[in-house]
Amino acid sequence: PDARSNLSAGAGLERQDFTAYTNRILFADAALLRNFGDAMYWKAGFLLERNRWEDIKVIDARQSALFSEEKEYWVTGLELQVARDTRDNLLEPRSGSFAVLLTEVAPRLLGSEIEYVRPAMELRKYYPLTDAIVISARMRLETVQEIGDTDILPIFKLLFLGGANTVRGYAFQELPPLDADGKPLGGQTALNANVELRYPIYKKLRGVVFADLGQVDPDPFSVDLSEMRYTCGAGLRYSTPVGPIRFDFGYKLNPPTGKDIGDFARPNETVGDRWRIYLSIGQAF
């Protein structure tokens, strides 16, 4: 529309085959982004989705009952955000920060069959210790709550953590809480924090040591610090024109055990592997 604004739109079909569920989404969205000042912008968007469950893989009575009653949902919502971005480089930032407040609301008024509000906040900070060594940190807090006539949110609208960009050491979306088979149940509040030390090794090759933490709570606007999961690890980065090729090794410091899935015959036995390897493109944050 003008030099300070961008109008974008998109549509597509996506099939999500995750550990907890399989869902097919037909979606369309449009958004207007407006810059004000050198580092600030706001964004407003409209979202339209048709979600169709193909499978639910977790042992959860409420979700199973919801799945058996209705396998298709239309979601229409509004997305609003305001952000401040002073990073010196979007692909490999070495200084500056990024802060964002955002929310997504899907009311019956807009025709949504699932009613919810989903606020979130995120802060990233990059601090150069020397010309070549950088400390980077991130914290993100997000919650989702049903509103109006919606009593239970389908699992594809719940929050999950785990994977190459959140809590390394866990597979994608597999942070507890878990069901009796060790599959993730998701939750309505997710807290994630990360810190990395990035340093040079040789020419375009760089190294990283990191620590991650995360917690998924079943209730909205709730964080239980006693259930926090911690991981640590190290990795390599090789710079390319489209961002670094990333290799990470993550290790669980307090992995889930038998008591976390209700197996009190083996309450202290670790569930799954304690480590995970990731290969991807781009920084974790």
Side-chain angles (χ1 to χ4, degrees):
D2 58 55
R4 286 186 170 270
S5 303
N6 284 302
L7 180 63
S8 62
L13 176 65
E14 180 178 344
R15 185 175 185 271
Q16 302 171 328
D17 189 4
F18 298 146
T19 303
Y21 63 91
T22 302
N23 185 40
R24 188 182 296 271
I25 304 175
L26 179 66
F27 67 89
D29 57 60
L32 175 65
L33 184 149
R34 173 78 175 175
N35 293 295
F36 58 99
D38 295 332
M40 300 283 292
Y41 68 84
W42 61 261
K43 182 178 180 181
F46 178 78
L47 172 68
L48 174 65
E49 293 179 354
R50 188 195 71 173
N51 294 268
R52 180 166 181 81
W53 287 13
E54 294 186 354
D55 190 18
I56 181 167
K57 306 172 185 178
V58 296
I59 302 171
D60 184 275
R62 299 180 75 196
Q63 291 292 335
S64 296
L66 199 62
F67 176 75
S68 63
E69 293 173 2
E70 183 61 68
K71 296 183 181 179
E72 184 173 298
Y73 293 93
W74 284 92
V75 176
T76 49
L78 297 175
E79 299 174 318
L80 303 170
Q81 67 172 271
V82 60
R84 182 175 186 269
D85 191 350
T86 62
R87 291 173 291 180
D88 62 335
N89 186 298
L90 296 182
L91 295 179
E92 295 191 63
R94 298 188 66 257
S95 65
S97 63
F98 173 76
V100 62
L101 294 172
L102 63 154
T103 188
E104 178 183 325
V105 58
R108 185 77 65 181
L109 181 65
L110 295 179
S112 184
E113 295 179 335
I114 308 171
E115 295 183 277
Y116 63 88
V117 60
R118 184 173 177 168
M121 61 175 291
E122 182 171 342
L123 176 63
R124 306 180 189 182
K125 178 65 178 176
Y126 306 89
Y127 183 77
L129 294 179
T130 69
D131 290 340
I133 301 175
V134 177
I135 288 183
S136 57
R138 172 180 63 180
M139 189 279 289
R140 182 180 177 89
L141 178 61
E142 184 173 10
T143 192
V144 59
Q145 182 170 25
E146 56 273 66
I147 58 175
D149 295 331
T150 299
D151 297 322
I152 305 171
L153 286 174
I155 195 168
F156 56 78
K157 285 299 178 184
L158 297 182
L159 305 177
F160 295 83
L161 288 177
N165 295 324
T166 57
V167 186
R168 288 160 285 188
Y170 288 87
F172 181 64
Q173 292 195 347
E174 292 196 9
L175 203 77
L178 307 173
D179 70 1
D181 288 337
K183 294 185 175 67
L185 293 168
Q188 291 186 244
T189 302
L191 172 63
N192 175 216
N194 317 83
V195 61
E196 287 189 349
L197 178 66
R198 302 171 182 174
Y199 55 91
I201 296 178
Y202 180 72
K203 293 186 178 180
K204 294 184 178 182
L205 185 65
R206 298 178 62 84
V208 168
V209 291
F210 62 82
D212 302 334
L213 64 85
Q215 196 250 322
V216 176
D217 198 284
D219 298 318
F221 299 97
S222 176
V223 174
D224 186 351
L225 297 180
S226 66
E227 294 295 326
M228 196 71 68
R229 300 291 168 172
Y230 302 92
T231 66
C232 65
L236 297 172
R237 310 285 186 268
Y238 184 81
S239 296
T240 74
V242 295
I245 297 174
R246 176 159 54 101
F247 173 86
D248 282 332
F249 173 88
Y251 184 78
K252 301 172 186 172
L253 297 176
N254 59 336
T257 59
K259 64 181 179 182
D260 294 307
I261 61 173
D263 186 356
F264 295 104
R266 296 173 295 176
N268 299 316
E269 185 173 317
T270 299
V271 176
D273 296 327
R274 291 197 66 156
W275 55 274
R276 182 73 55 170
I277 291 175
Y278 311 90
L279 182 63
S280 54
I281 297 178
Q283 297 285 6
F285 57 92

